[in-house]
Amino acid sequence: MTSTSQTITAAVSGTWTLGDLTVNRIGFGAMRLPQRGAAFAPGSPPRDHGEAIAVLRRAVELGVNHIDTAAFYFSSLRSANELINRALAPYPDDLVIATKVGPGRDPSGEWLPHAGPGLLRGQVEENLRQLGRDHLDVVNLRIVGTDSIAERFGALAELRDAGLIRHLGLSNVRPEHLAEAQAIAPVVCVQNLYGIGAASWQDDFLRLCGEQKVAFVPFYSIAGTGREAGARGGDDAELLAVARARGVSPAQVRLAWTLHRGPHVLAIPGTGDPGHLAENVAAGALRLSQEELAVLDRLHRRGA
């Protein structure tokens, strides 16, 4: 990665709106902030407090104004929300903090059953407390499975009407969930697993979101279906060739390809490393050629 990447800001990636909130398309995911290594893994060592604070402040310096977090992002010593509060409050006027509710963990880190309608208010209030806010910019309902979300999303819609939440989104859902939610309240974003090699139905869902002006926000956009293990099978030779020709990292190529999928596609790569942060932001300036996109599209269809 060239040293000039340090001067590239997130503004170069372009913007999209989450309701009435404008964000740069390259954002920051806070999942990795509380610990080193894999998120949620038992025994993962907590990240150095000063290091985490410095990365958050550097992200904002680099123009990041969309941060994705959750109250269940914590290690034995660190909470992502409280790190964000400590690093960035009083918050910049243009900073949008999106959080997720539904999953929960007990103080030891063990996963709890997903919250039903009656417990979602408590999760929203916990995010408010940790972040030091009187309202949340965006709250995503994260689910597992294919069951109806009407009662849970309806509970969040009531909190939106009460002023505790500004905008609502969905995470880990299918198209029928989006339709179900939109019949209750506006949806500004969908967060799903997406990257090179994602399932073909996700491509259709991404396009559907674009047609409806709903932001599509991939998680694991660098690792894809490999999740915490990284890109499945490593990086393909053809992808490596594109990266070498451009003088960038394979991760930057993967991020750039994701952003090329549509103007409504946002990215929230996470890292605790300042160098990787700068590379991720700089990926927003990488404009892939039609020939490069054709190569990467073929890899995508092969499930690379």
Side-chain angles (χ1 to χ4, degrees):
M1 186 64 209
T2 61
S3 61
T4 56
S5 67
Q6 296 287 337
T7 63
I8 296 174
T9 74
V12 75
S13 62
T15 62
W16 189 258
T17 56
L18 299 171
D20 61 346
L21 304 172
T22 300
V23 297
N24 292 323
R25 293 177 63 212
I26 285 277
F28 180 83
M31 184 177 71
R32 293 182 179 276
L33 271 187
Q35 73 290 306
R36 297 184 180 278
F40 315 125
S44 289
R47 188 174 299 281
D48 178 77
H49 182 269
E51 180 183 50
I53 295 293
V55 166
L56 282 164
R57 290 176 176 166
R58 183 58 178 157
V60 170
E61 289 172 359
L62 289 173
V64 169
N65 59 3
H66 174 210
I67 294 178
D68 176 78
T69 186
F72 55 86
Y73 289 173
F74 64 84
S75 66
S76 58
L77 293 180
R78 308 275 179 258
S79 155
N81 281 353
E82 290 169 346
L83 287 167
I84 291 167
N85 189 345
R86 179 67 62 89
L88 302 178
Y91 298 108
D93 290 341
D94 69 336
L95 180 64
V96 174
I97 299 176
T99 191
K100 288 173 288 299
V101 295
R105 299 165 72 203
D106 68 21
S108 71
E110 292 297 316
W111 289 101
L112 300 168
H114 276 224
L119 296 178
L120 289 174
R121 183 184 182 106
Q123 289 191 345
V124 166
E125 290 176 344
E126 180 66 3
N127 277 281
L128 288 168
R129 183 192 68 78
Q130 292 178 357
L131 290 166
R133 303 289 297 269
D134 60 6
H135 75 280
L136 299 173
D137 297 324
V138 180
V139 172
N140 294 301
L141 175 63
R142 181 170 176 82
I143 71 162
V144 172
T146 58
D147 292 346
S148 169
I149 64 169
E151 288 189 5
R152 287 169 287 173
F153 194 78
L156 292 180
E158 291 177 3
L159 297 179
R160 174 180 175 269
D161 293 342
L164 296 183
I165 300 171
R166 192 159 180 173
H167 298 295
L168 297 172
L170 298 169
S171 179
N172 202 41
V173 295
R174 299 188 71 90
E176 55 266 30
H177 293 127
L178 175 59
E180 189 178 24
Q182 286 173 319
I184 298 169
V187 175
V188 300
C189 57
V190 166
Q191 284 190 353
N192 270 20
L193 171 63
Y194 189 80
I196 291 177
S200 60
W201 72 266
Q202 296 275 20
D203 290 322
D204 296 334
F205 197 11
L206 182 153
R207 286 190 289 270
L208 175 67
C209 287
E211 291 166 2
Q212 299 184 11
K213 305 301 182 185
V214 173
F216 192 86
V217 189
F219 55 84
Y220 291 123
S221 56
I222 296 175
T225 55
R227 296 178 176 259
E228 285 290 328
R232 191 172 65 188
D235 287 304
D236 188 277
E238 293 169 289
L239 189 149
L240 289 171
V242 172
R244 283 195 297 269
R246 289 300 195 102
V248 298
S249 71
Q252 287 175 297
V253 172
R254 288 177 176 272
L255 277 174
W257 177 87
T258 301
L259 291 173
H260 276 73
R261 303 300 280 177
H264 66 297
V265 179
L266 311 182
I268 48 170
T271 182
D273 181 272
H276 289 162
L277 169 67
E279 286 192 6
N280 291 342
V281 169
L286 183 56
R287 302 293 184 259
L288 298 170
S289 69
Q290 290 303 310
E291 293 77 10
E292 289 168 330
L293 287 171
V295 168
L296 299 171
D297 288 350
R298 285 196 297 272
L299 292 177
H300 174 56
R301 290 192 295 270
R302 292 207 304 260

